[in-house]
Amino acid sequence: MTAVPAPAGSFPAARRFGAVLPLLRGVLALAAVLAAVELIVIALGIRPYVLPRPSAVFEAILRTPAAYRDAIIRTGLETLYGFAAGALFGIGIGIAFSRLRFLRETVFPIFIVSQTIPVIAFGALVVMWFGNTILAKSVIVFYLTFFPVTVNTLLGMRAVDQKQVQLLKSFGASEGEILRKLRFPTALPHIFVALRISSALGLAGAVVGEWFGDTTGLGVLLLQGMYAENMVAIWASVFCSALLGVALFSAIGFAERRIVFWGGSDA
Amino acid sequence: MMTRPQTDFTAAEAAMTDTAEPILDLRTLSKTFGEVKALNGVDLKVQPGEFVTVVGPSGCGKSTLFNIVSGLEEPDSGSVLRFEGRSVMARDLLGKVSFMPQRDLLLAWRNVIDNAILPLEIEGANRAEARREAERMLPEFGLAGFAKQYPHELSGGMRQRVALMRTFMFKRDLMLLDEPFGALDALTRAMMQRWLLDVWSEHRRTVLFITHDVDEAIFLGDRVLVMTARPGAIKLERKVDLPRPRGADLVTSPEFIALKRDLLDAIEEESMKTFGPNAH
């Protein structure tokens, strides 16, 4: 999605520019904020161990780009695997709950109880089971992701217009057809709301998961920065985490605009 | 012919009703929801190819009647429901009658063509073939060039035409239209009525049409039925002996006005039962 000049017609070009515009605006706003922070730090003489200059943070990243790149990839993969699994599981089980009352009444309460256990308490256990692997962190991400997706899928499947159900029935549609052609598309906007929430939660889960033991990742860099009392390294890790978070969020937003193009929920 | 009263059972008419089996035949049809009796002994026959309109005060059970005939609701026991000469359960009619509810109920994620072919898809028809057929029907429904548009890009009148096209594509002998033009402005509505008559005379389906607009009921129908206040039953039945094709000036003709007066009187009487001092 870079600003490539459009090959044909002015209309697609305008539309592509329209898609890039918010991104450009975001980048400009971020640059302005960073420049302002830089000026304030210099003007007020704030000490680097309280708040380092953004330029110093960027310098630190550029000095050892490989370390930060690897950390982003590692944490990104952990989040992605866990998130994908959580999203698919959440959608699947949400649909199952909407169809099977028995399952909903027996399993759903267990899900709710599971979410009352703080992920930190759970994290230690997962690392004991799966070791210092990507899998361990992905499981934590999964644990944080699936629940909002399940709840919103169930909600979305029930948000269907009963008149539309009746119309499809009058055409002779089976329950399965109503599910595929009506209920699931109706649920999609709700599902995307949950996916956006889950992506932020999942990333936090991956970072925290790394604190239980790992050698690469943004959480590891954060921890190392903290132990070394290196404010610049901490801020560099925070910046990279933010970058990853924004990338995930944007990717989901992009998919949402493509898939839920009819504007089920506007945001 | 024009002045023949409805009760005068001529030999010709007797012959017609005997030979032509009614496509829909309801006898003592009742429906109760808990304490509330929505329909009380509806008797109604619809001949193949006939355009029958139903008017009545609001809340008279018109929609309940349609829900039963489209198979969505079972009538109370003791009701007789005959379709194409056979006694049936209401649910046997699911997929047998093409039903158009009040709102267009288009699926937001489907474009005009894909909304129109929805019933064919459910029937298991070949999708590409169904799309080609819908493509051919677009001009007739005033939707030429709009094949790829989505519902949120269409005006209310166009959405309603898409819904009608969907109803027509579901090729069933009996069509149920539940106030399809109720939400449209007067001008669009008048245009849609004339257009519907054109389409109907092309396709020759049997139509049962609900409306609360007496003008619309007379303008469209071969026969107008007036329903009583709840619990609904057929209060009055009048044949509309006005020539077809019908033009816009028809509504000012003396025959039209005389008929309208009779029907309005009947509806007024029923409305008073609902809103009057003795209403229960």
Side-chain angles (χ1 to χ4, degrees), chain B residues 158-190:
Chain B
M158 291 181 77
R159 292 173 61 114
Q160 216 61 28
R161 285 203 292 269
V162 178
L164 264 168
M165 182 170 157
R166 178 183 62 196
T167 313
F168 271 92
M169 289 209 70
F170 190 47
K171 291 179 208 63
R172 297 295 181 268
D173 293 331
L174 180 60
M175 285 177 58
L176 303 178
L177 306 179
D178 187 357
E179 291 192 38
F181 309 140
L184 302 178
D185 64 88
L187 279 177
T188 315
R189 175 192 279 228

Side-chain angles (χ1 to χ4, degrees), chain A residues 161 163-174 177 180-186 259 261-263, chain B residues 67 70 72 94-97 99 101 103 105-110 118-119 121-122 127 150 152 166 170:
Chain A
D161 185 339
K163 296 272 179 195
Q164 285 182 326
V165 174
Q166 291 192 337
L167 180 72
L168 263 68
K169 272 192 186 155
S170 84
F171 291 147
S174 65
E177 280 169 319
R180 272 184 289 120
K181 292 182 195 296
L182 178 61
R183 286 186 198 273
F184 185 65
T186 304
I259 296 170
F261 58 89
W262 63 91
Chain B
N67 282 344
S70 60
L72 296 169
L94 284 173
K96 295 273 195 327
V97 170
F99 172 51
R103 290 188 293 127
L105 302 176
L106 299 178
L107 304 185
W109 50 91
R110 283 172 171 250
L118 179 65
E121 243 181 80
I122 289 168
R127 204 187 282 207
Y150 286 88
H152 66 269
R166 178 183 62 196
F170 190 47

Side-chain angles (χ1 to χ4, degrees), chain B residues 23 46-54 66 168 173-177 180 196 200 204-210 220-223:
Chain B
I23 183 167
V46 181
Q47 298 298 330
E50 206 180 8
F51 199 129
V52 178
T53 51
V54 182
F66 265 30
F168 271 92
D173 293 331
L174 180 60
M175 285 177 58
L176 303 178
L177 306 179
L196 175 64
W200 170 71
R204 276 291 152 189
R205 309 273 177 78
T206 311
V207 177
L208 193 55
F209 187 107
I210 285 185
L220 295 175
D222 292 320
R223 204 148 47 98

Side-chain angles (χ1 to χ4, degrees), chain B residues 170-271:
Chain B
F170 190 47
K171 291 179 208 63
R172 297 295 181 268
D173 293 331
L174 180 60
M175 285 177 58
L176 303 178
L177 306 179
D178 187 357
E179 291 192 38
F181 309 140
L184 302 178
D185 64 88
L187 279 177
T188 315
R189 175 192 279 228
M191 271 172 48
M192 295 283 287
Q193 287 167 357
R194 267 172 285 156
W195 166 84
L196 175 64
L197 286 184
D198 286 347
V199 177
W200 170 71
S201 61
E202 277 291 308
H203 294 258
R204 276 291 152 189
R205 309 273 177 78
T206 311
V207 177
L208 193 55
F209 187 107
I210 285 185
T211 176
H212 56 257
D213 178 348
V214 177
D215 282 9
E216 185 169 76
I218 303 170
F219 185 76
L220 295 175
D222 292 320
R223 204 148 47 98
V224 181
L225 306 176
V226 177
M227 282 184 76
T228 62
R230 201 171 61 207
I234 306 297
K235 179 187 176 73
L236 179 71
E237 175 182 338
R238 296 294 301 267
K239 203 160 190 97
V240 184
D241 273 329
L242 296 169
R244 292 186 191 270
R246 294 175 180 170
D249 53 347
L250 184 82
V251 294
T252 50
S253 72
E255 293 93 337
F256 188 98
I257 292 174
L259 191 53
K260 183 176 171 181
R261 188 174 303 130
D262 285 1
L263 292 171
L264 278 176
D265 282 349
I267 294 171
E268 172 78 4
E269 202 181 306
E270 288 308 313
S271 294

Side-chain angles (χ1 to χ4, degrees), chain A residues 41 45-53 56-57 229-233 235:
Chain A
V41 169
I46 298 173
R47 304 247 170 246
Y49 59 78
V50 178
L51 184 66
R53 284 180 294 116
V57 173
E229 296 185 23
N230 181 347
M231 272 311 245
V232 172
W235 277 101

Side-chain angles (χ1 to χ4, degrees), chain A residues 35-76:
Chain A
V37 172
E38 183 93 13
L39 286 175
I40 289 169
V41 169
I42 293 169
L44 301 181
I46 298 173
R47 304 247 170 246
Y49 59 78
V50 178
L51 184 66
R53 284 180 294 116
S55 61
V57 173
F58 281 116
E59 264 175 51
I61 295 174
L62 291 176
R63 224 178 297 130
T64 51
Y68 288 99
R69 187 198 60 212
D70 292 350
I72 288 179
I73 291 173
R74 169 78 181 205
T75 307

